[in-house]
Amino acid sequence: MQTSPPLRKKKDEEDEEEIKVFDGNASKKRRQYRVIALPKAAKYDQILAAALRTFHISDDASNYYISDAYRQNDYEEPLPQENTLRAIEHPSGRRPAIFIRFREKNPYKGKIRVYPGILKTVCRSKLIEVTSTTTSREVISLGLKEFGIQCTEPDKFSLVEVILQHEVSERALDSKECPLQVLQQQRLESLRNHRLTRFYVQHRDDPHGPSVCIFVGNLPLSLSQLQYERILMDMIRDKKLKWSKVDVIYYEYGSMVLQYNDSETALQAFKVFQQSSFDDKQIVVLLLPNIQVSIIPPHVRPLLCFVNVKSGGQQGLELITSFRKLLNPHQVFDLQYGGPLPGLYVFRLMPNYRIIVCGGDGTVGWVLSCLDNVGQDGVCQSPAMAVVPLGTGNDLARVLRWGSGYVGNEEPLNLLRDLIEADEIKLDRWTVVFHPDEKEPEEVARRAGIDVNNATSEDSTQMFVMNNYFGIGVDADLCLDFHMAREENPDKFSSRMHNKGVYFKLGLKNFIKKNNLYREFHRDVTLEVDGKRIDLPSAVQGLIILNILSWGSGANAWGQEKDDHFAKPTHYDGMLEVVGVTGVLHMAHIQSGIRSGLRLAQGGHIRIRMNSELPVQVDGEPWLQPPAEVTVLRSALKATMLRKSKSKMKRRSTESALPSGSQQTPRAPGAGQQSPDPDDDSDS
């Protein structure tokens, strides 16, 4: 007799045990734990493997053991190998809890990895043997010798402990501190922090000079320098903490960089700003690293890494941790702290560098927009940019061959290798200008947040830079519904699959309720391409103007090549493609590959007349637009993008992953079938 599904599920739940896992004493004090669920018959090795996996610890399991977090003994013993779950205490009303502990094979002797901090050496890092009594001064002497640096005065250097968390934290060890003891204590407090820790040998006196720069953001937009300085002085109050000079102001972002000539004063001011707010908004403040360009060899192109940790669920958080381990942590910037501006400022004097953006198409547009505004102040005005796709649609990443979405199955080191071998290409960019009708200036001004008493027809003109596509009508309507749903419940939109599910449901809802809403679209909108009037078919309910051949999460709305009068499109040919869609069902067919859009025109200068209020979207940012004249023209702004090499794509699809910690070249796991490349040029 078979058990019914509800009874089987209940039986499975009864046969499972939920266990809280702490990675150290500090997490237990803060009551921060992760939960694993295991069969009650689970063996010791299974419990240990699940506990390590939940903290993303992938090295040899024999280096760790588990112990009871609730058992109060003078000596903490590992749990027994047999009947492990029975040996764990089960406090009344609470789940059992365990510690993951590092197995100290010899508590009096070990090795620490030391990195050179801005030292003239070709060495990346060295493993140094130490004992429990080896001081940081002795480690400095050993490290300098290993790095090939002759020095008779180790006191001119310091050993700095760097923890690569959300914000990189540093601490210089006292000359008599013992690094091995520091590591052992850290393992007890938090294994996760231990794995994010590095030791650097660097000069006590900053080789860049005494000046320190502080980034201050989240201030009101477009004030004068005097107004900004008054706001900041009200925060610090003490004139002794005033900056030496204001180095730069980003007026339209409400951000600025302050320069201090004394590091102690800068640190005190930094701590004050950290506790400050303005108009009930917390001030964003960062201590900025200072790159010494002169010590970077001419053939080296440093990498500036931006990560949107809110994209892709937990993948953004995991990527920023991985990249901070693989690169200098000061090359990696978390976009939730000040956006792209701090990183672009730090790299402003770099003559040649590349950027990698981990996020969705919106994140890429954000970085490009900041480059447009501040790039002219940098030595390298158009650095080449690669994309790790963490968003929902990732259309730009698709045409650049970086994939439909990063799911964590590729080693970050492989991403960096692919970036080195990627091809530089140009991306056309376009300016979309909205000239609202003069008869409705107050309505337009109200939507734009402009004071209607001071508004003029010129004030209501809006300009946007387009990288991917621009939509009017039914396409933008669906995009607007999705945008509003996400604004209402932003926390629910952290999963790519969830986002696509919501998009599908909204499309179904629109098909039922709004199927005939845009049946007069061909009368409400007139289209002119390169000075020629284009008649819209009566069935058309929306227009999509394409700069790239990927729309709506990878669909090719323009369609496959066929024998017609249109040229083969690319994203760097100075041309836009205009397609029509006849409704939600047509859009669904395009996304499923059954049909393509209606090819209407191809050209480099587009004018559209909107006779009624219609939804519009530029690169996925939607709104309701009152009647207006719309002009799309090629922008003077350029972007240099990195397109993944085709040979790397083929190799990745056939290779399997190597074990972590291997000294061989890591390989990515098979990615399955690649979607067809809509922008494949055989001669590129």
Side-chain angles (χ1 to χ4, degrees):
M1 179 177 176
Q2 291 186 340
T3 309
S4 65
L7 290 175
R8 190 184 304 120
K9 182 178 179 182
K10 183 177 180 182
K11 186 176 184 301
D12 290 343
E13 290 174 351
E14 290 175 351
D15 289 342
E16 280 192 346
E17 182 88 79
E18 285 192 346
I19 306 171
K20 295 190 290 187
V21 183
F22 297 99
D23 76 327
N25 299 341
S27 61
K28 186 182 178 185
K29 289 175 186 175
R30 295 192 297 265
R31 298 181 181 179
Q32 294 177 341
Y33 56 85
R34 299 182 184 181
V35 177
I36 57 175
L38 293 164
K40 289 187 177 179
K43 297 180 180 179
Y44 178 92
D45 289 343
Q46 292 174 296
I47 302 170
L48 175 59
L52 292 173
R53 191 162 52 246
T54 195
F55 279 98
H56 305 287
I57 299 174
S58 57
D59 37 317
D60 191 349
S62 65
N63 292 329
Y64 301 89
Y65 67 89
I66 50 177
S67 63
D68 194 332
Y70 288 139
R71 187 161 294 172
Q72 303 294 327
N73 290 335
D74 293 335
Y75 175 69
E76 184 178 290
E77 295 181 350
L79 287 166
Q81 298 277 344
E82 302 293 332
N83 299 319
T84 306
L85 282 177
R86 291 183 184 178
I88 303 175
E89 289 192 9
H90 290 62
S92 177
R94 290 192 292 177
R95 285 177 288 194
I98 59 174
F99 282 122
I100 311 175
R101 296 297 196 192
F102 185 82
R103 193 182 297 277
E104 301 284 356
K105 295 176 182 177
N106 185 343
Y108 306 107
K109 188 177 181 180
K111 293 181 180 180
I112 65 169
R113 185 171 293 278
V114 177
Y115 294 79
I118 318 180
L119 302 177
K120 292 185 178 181
T121 177
V122 295
C123 300
R124 187 172 181 270
S125 65
K126 290 290 183 181
L127 270 176
I128 296 176
E129 290 191 5
V130 294
T131 68
S132 57
T133 58
T134 304
T135 64
S136 65
R137 189 179 188 279
E138 292 171 323
V139 170
I140 291 169
S141 297
L142 292 169
L144 292 173
K145 184 178 179 181
E146 290 288 334
F147 295 141
I149 298 173
Q150 300 297 324
C151 180
T152 57
E153 298 179 88
D155 290 334
K156 289 187 175 181
F157 297 83
S158 58
L159 187 65
V160 179
E161 176 190 38
V162 178
I163 301 179
L164 314 177
Q165 294 175 310
H166 300 305
E167 294 185 61
V168 180
S169 61
E170 298 184 0
R171 181 183 74 90
L173 271 65
D174 185 88
S175 61
K176 294 182 179 180
E177 272 190 273
C178 301
L180 185 60
Q181 293 181 22
V182 171
L183 275 183
Q184 290 171 342
Q185 183 60 35
Q186 197 178 72
R187 287 170 186 153
L188 282 174
E189 293 299 313
S190 172
L191 276 176
R192 186 171 183 275
N193 278 2
H194 161 67
R195 290 169 54 78
L196 298 176
T197 298
R198 283 182 177 180
F199 288 105
Y200 283 84
V201 174
Q202 63 186 43
H203 291 275
R204 284 190 182 275
D205 297 327
D206 192 338
H208 311 100
S211 65
V212 177
C213 290
I214 295 180
F215 175 88
V216 182
N218 227 9
L219 298 169
L221 309 183
S222 303
L223 301 183
S224 68
Q225 178 171 338
L226 183 60
Q227 289 173 308
Y228 281 127
E229 294 199 64
R230 284 176 178 170
I231 291 172
L232 298 184
M233 282 305 300
D234 287 343
M235 293 177 186
I236 60 175
R237 297 185 180 180
D238 187 350
K239 290 185 178 180
K240 294 179 180 178
L241 300 182
K242 187 177 179 181
W243 47 93
S244 305
K245 76 168 187 174
V246 176
D247 196 39
V248 64
I249 301 177
Y250 304 116
Y251 292 98
E252 61 184 284
Y253 297 100
S255 305
M256 55 201 304
V257 177
L258 308 176
Q259 190 177 98
Y260 285 82
N261 290 333
D262 175 64
S263 58
E264 288 298 323
T265 306
L267 186 58
Q268 292 178 45
F270 172 76
K271 291 178 179 178
V272 173
F273 286 133
Q274 275 188 314
Q275 308 300 320
S276 302
S277 60
F278 186 82
D279 283 348
D280 297 324
K281 292 194 297 185
Q282 180 66 41
I283 294 299
V284 174
V285 57
L286 296 170
L287 279 171
L288 299 180
N290 201 348
I291 296 178
Q292 192 173 15
V293 177
S294 60
I295 71 169
I296 298 175
H299 64 279
V300 172
R301 282 191 292 187
L303 181 65
L304 172 58
C305 181
F306 291 119
V307 183
N308 187 344
V309 296
K310 295 182 179 179
S311 295
Q314 288 295 312
Q315 291 161 5
L317 191 58
E318 291 170 9
L319 274 175
I320 198 169
T321 301
S322 298
F323 281 138
R324 280 180 171 162
K325 287 181 180 179
L326 293 169
L327 304 168
N328 185 313
H330 292 304
Q331 291 174 251
V332 186
F333 289 83
D334 185 341
L335 287 173
Q336 67 179 328
Y337 299 107
L341 294 176
L344 295 175
Y345 175 84
V346 169
F347 274 65
R348 72 197 185 284
L349 300 179
M350 194 67 62
N352 192 5
Y353 68 97
R354 287 181 163 186
I355 295 175
I356 185 168
V357 178
C358 306
D361 287 344
T363 306
V364 176
W366 184 15
V367 176
L368 285 173
S369 175
C370 287
L371 263 175
D372 295 338
N373 286 283
V374 307
Q376 66 271 19
D377 298 328
V379 177
C380 180
Q381 297 187 2
S382 184
M385 185 182 301
V387 183
V388 178
L390 299 182
T392 302
N394 303 310
D395 287 298
L396 183 57
R398 291 170 192 264
V399 300
L400 297 174
R401 301 177 184 154
W402 294 106
S404 58
Y406 179 79
V407 292
N409 63 346
E410 184 161 3
E411 290 290 335
L413 183 58
N414 279 337
L415 293 174
L416 298 180
R417 286 180 174 142
D418 290 346
L419 186 147
I420 292 170
E421 299 181 20
D423 306 313
E424 290 191 10
I425 62 167
K426 295 295 181 182
L427 174 70
D428 287 339
R429 304 178 70 203
W430 302 83
T431 302
V432 186
V433 185
F434 292 86
H435 301 281
D437 290 354
E438 292 185 6
K439 62 183 179 181
E440 298 186 16
E442 291 191 8
E443 174 67 12
V444 174
R446 181 182 64 79
R447 291 176 184 276
I450 299 169
D451 185 354
V452 295
N453 297 318
N454 298 321
T456 66
S457 58
E458 187 179 354
D459 290 334
S460 59
T461 296
Q462 295 175 287
M463 298 176 63
F464 301 88
V465 175
M466 179 187 83
N467 301 310
N468 296 358
Y469 36 69
F470 162 45
I472 304 175
V474 64
D475 160 59
D477 190 302
L478 185 55
C479 186
L480 182 61
D481 286 347
F482 179 82
H483 176 77
M484 292 174 66
R486 184 163 56 180
E487 288 292 304
E488 289 176 7
N489 296 287
D491 294 338
K492 293 183 178 180
F493 288 77
S494 59
S495 160
R496 190 178 295 125
M497 290 303 296
H498 172 79
N499 294 357
K500 290 184 177 181
V502 172
Y503 208 87
F504 173 78
K505 291 176 184 176
L506 290 172
L508 192 61
K509 180 181 176 182
N510 283 14
F511 176 69
I512 297 170
K513 295 186 177 181
K514 301 182 181 181
N515 195 34
N516 295 317
L517 185 62
Y518 300 103
R519 59 187 174 186
E520 298 297 318
F521 185 86
H522 65 289
R523 293 192 178 95
D524 292 335
V525 173
T526 58
L527 171 66
E528 183 182 292
V529 179
D530 290 343
K532 181 181 177 182
R533 171 76 178 265
I534 307 296
D535 293 328
L536 299 181
S538 59
V540 167
Q541 296 189 20
L543 293 179
I544 305 170
I545 299 169
L546 301 164
N547 183 42
I548 62 174
L549 289 187
S550 181
W551 163 85
S553 298
N556 185 355
W558 184 251
Q560 299 300 320
E561 282 306 300
K562 55 186 178 182
D563 189 14
D564 57 16
H565 64 280
F566 295 114
K568 180 182 178 181
T570 69
H571 45 267
Y572 45 83
D573 58 2
M575 304 280 276
L576 292 169
E577 287 65 51
V578 185
V579 300
V581 290
T582 60
V584 175
L585 184 60
H586 187 192
M587 290 166 56
H589 286 164
I590 294 172
Q591 290 183 326
S592 61
I594 299 173
R595 299 168 62 189
S596 60
L598 303 176
R599 293 187 179 184
L600 299 176
Q602 191 178 46
H605 189 280
I606 296 174
R607 293 183 65 186
I608 298 171
R609 171 67 201 164
M610 296 170 51
N611 297 316
S612 64
E613 183 178 74
L614 289 168
V616 300
Q617 61 102 351
V618 177
D619 286 345
E621 294 297 325
W623 70 94
L624 276 175
Q625 176 65 42
E629 291 278 350
V630 185
T631 305
V632 186
L633 62 159
R634 198 171 181 184
S635 173
L637 302 169
K638 301 293 180 184
T640 305
M641 307 302 293
L642 289 168
R643 184 170 63 182
K644 189 175 182 179
S645 168
K646 233 179 178 184
S647 62
K648 298 292 283 188
M649 292 175 64
K650 290 177 181 176
R651 188 166 65 82
R652 288 280 181 266
S653 66
T654 58
E655 291 178 345
S656 58
L658 288 176
S660 61
S662 170
Q663 295 302 308
Q664 302 177 54
T665 303
R667 300 175 182 175
Q673 290 186 342
Q674 296 285 343
S675 58
D677 183 6
D679 193 35
D680 176 24
D681 291 327
S682 57
D683 59 348
S684 64

